[in-house]
Amino acid sequence: MRTFLSAYTIRIEKKKSKNSKDNHLPNYCQLNYFNGHDDLLSAMSSFIQKLTTNRKNDSYNIYIKSSNIQEEGRSISGLIESGIYGISSNLRDVDTDSITYKKKKSDAEVLPFYFLIYIPKDTNEGILLLQRTGKYGIRTHFGIFLDKYFSDNFPGFSVEINTLVQEEIIKRILYGGTIKKLRCVKYQAPLDRVDGLDEGHEEIPYNMEIVLSANKIPFMGKIQNFFNSKGSVKSLIELRDFNFDYDTVKVDVDLDGSLRTFDLGCLQRARAYYDISDKVVIDSDDYPTFQSIQTIAKIYLQEVINQMYP
């Protein structure tokens, strides 16, 4: 499965009274003294250490355990094993179709995930990097435990974790990498499908793409003009030879051997994630080694820092 680093922002908000006139406005705190004296870095360190012993949440049937904890400067990194329990089932060997184990309700199938937390001084926004393996990740489980920790220890404050949306980072990746292709995408194009003879038909929605090779078209100049003009993505590429009213343009970029895809039509919602599948070292259990993902994460973190805190 592919391995990614997903980037998030982390903030602390002071809770407001119900009668406050500006309840709709966030009240974010300086991270190194968010309640007037406590540093979020110390709070996060205590939280991560607590996960070595306080490892389950019976309300959500979630197991979570931290290990390999390392602290350096304003950063904390390590591994978190996480999984769910509460359901008994049979485990089968798919090759022999035989039951190999009876899973109990107290059993949890756990997977290891890397994390890196960066809490700078004199700002109200930190960075959180979390490993995602295929469709599996720990963003939700991590957030549930962190919310509970803050509720118990800092009742007047709440922690907020959001997907990092950073257009400048995406621009840097586009300008620093090699554009391989542009894909003009049409969503929900109708397709008539005949179902039997004279029995009517139905329209099936599907996506249609026209793929343009970077070997044929000077894409970078067009993309730079697009960013500078703030125009519509639908005017980025003119398809004279096709009657194709596309909805958006996706660009595939090779950056140091890793292929990343960005939707230029929704950069405001684009997630900053990094495919590191081809860079990590895989151990005997088919998991990335801690040291290999740690090295890559530190480099990626610096890239994000350079854009967020110029």
Side-chain angles (χ1 to χ4, degrees), residues 87-103:
I87 300 176
S88 60
S89 64
N90 294 324
L91 298 184
R92 286 185 178 273
D93 185 319
V94 296
D95 293 326
T96 64
D97 197 32
S98 59
I99 297 175
T100 57
Y101 181 72
K102 177 74 174 181
K103 180 177 177 290

Side-chain angles (χ1 to χ4, degrees), residues 23-288:
N23 269 328
H24 62 290
L25 297 175
N27 186 17
Y28 297 130
C29 307
Q30 293 280 55
L31 299 183
N32 53 309
Y33 51 92
F34 65 90
N35 60 356
H37 52 86
D38 284 313
D39 190 337
L40 179 59
L41 180 67
S42 299
M44 293 301 295
S45 177
S46 298
F47 165 68
I48 294 298
Q49 291 291 342
K50 191 176 181 64
L51 293 181
T52 62
T53 55
N54 185 22
R55 300 185 294 264
K56 66 174 187 170
N57 184 312
D58 289 332
S59 298
Y60 294 91
N61 290 346
I62 298 172
Y63 173 90
I64 190 170
K65 181 181 180 181
S66 59
S67 62
N68 283 45
I69 302 169
Q70 299 187 15
E71 300 191 26
E72 181 181 354
R74 302 288 299 178
S75 298
I76 307 168
S77 61
L79 290 177
I80 287 180
E81 290 182 284
S82 183
I84 60 173
Y85 59 91
I87 300 176
S88 60
S89 64
N90 294 324
L91 298 184
R92 286 185 178 273
D93 185 319
V94 296
D95 293 326
T96 64
D97 197 32
S98 59
I99 297 175
T100 57
Y101 181 72
K102 177 74 174 181
K103 180 177 177 290
K104 305 186 297 294
K105 288 185 177 181
S106 59
D107 289 331
E109 181 184 4
V110 298
L111 295 174
F113 298 94
Y114 174 87
F115 72 89
L116 192 158
I117 303 165
Y118 173 67
I119 307 297
K121 290 184 176 180
D122 303 322
T123 183
N124 62 11
E125 186 175 59
I127 300 169
L128 171 66
L129 301 183
L130 296 177
Q131 176 189 346
R132 180 164 58 88
T133 302
K135 65 179 181 180
Y136 302 103
I138 56 168
R139 164 62 186 89
T140 300
H141 291 183
F142 185 87
I144 288 173
F145 276 75
L146 185 57
D147 286 344
K148 179 67 164 56
Y149 176 81
F150 259 77
S151 177
D152 291 343
N153 293 275
F154 308 101
F157 299 83
S158 61
V159 62
E160 182 178 295
I161 297 176
N162 293 310
T163 300
L164 176 60
V165 178
Q166 184 54 271
E167 184 174 326
E168 289 303 317
I169 292 176
I170 295 173
K171 286 182 183 179
R172 176 171 176 168
I173 292 171
L174 289 174
Y175 296 159
T178 302
I179 297 178
K180 292 297 186 180
K181 63 183 67 171
L182 256 65
R183 295 183 283 124
C184 300
V185 182
K186 174 69 175 179
Y187 295 123
Q188 299 293 308
L191 171 68
D192 287 347
R193 183 180 73 177
V194 177
D195 187 12
L197 295 177
D198 299 325
E199 294 182 359
H201 71 281
E202 61 179 314
E203 289 190 346
I204 305 172
Y206 71 105
N207 296 342
M208 179 183 290
E209 296 185 3
I210 290 181
V211 180
L212 306 175
S213 171
N215 296 329
K216 305 289 185 181
I217 303 174
F219 288 142
M220 186 52 70
K222 292 179 177 291
I223 290 175
Q224 287 177 330
N225 290 336
F226 164 71
F227 281 129
N228 293 335
S229 66
K230 300 293 184 180
S232 169
V233 71
K234 299 180 74 171
S235 63
L236 196 152
I237 299 293
E238 184 178 357
L239 300 174
R240 293 190 180 94
D241 297 330
F242 300 91
N243 182 19
F244 189 64
D245 182 22
Y246 59 87
D247 295 311
T248 192
V249 173
K250 294 184 179 181
V251 57
D252 293 342
V253 184
D254 185 310
L255 186 68
D256 298 328
S258 293
L259 191 67
R260 306 199 206 178
T261 299
F262 299 102
D263 187 337
L264 299 183
C266 58
L267 288 179
Q268 295 78 14
R269 301 191 304 274
R271 295 187 176 189
Y273 68 88
Y274 184 12
D275 187 344
I276 60 173
S277 307
D278 299 329
K279 294 181 177 296
V280 292
V281 177
I282 303 300
D283 64 18
S284 58
D285 293 323
D286 291 330
Y287 298 130

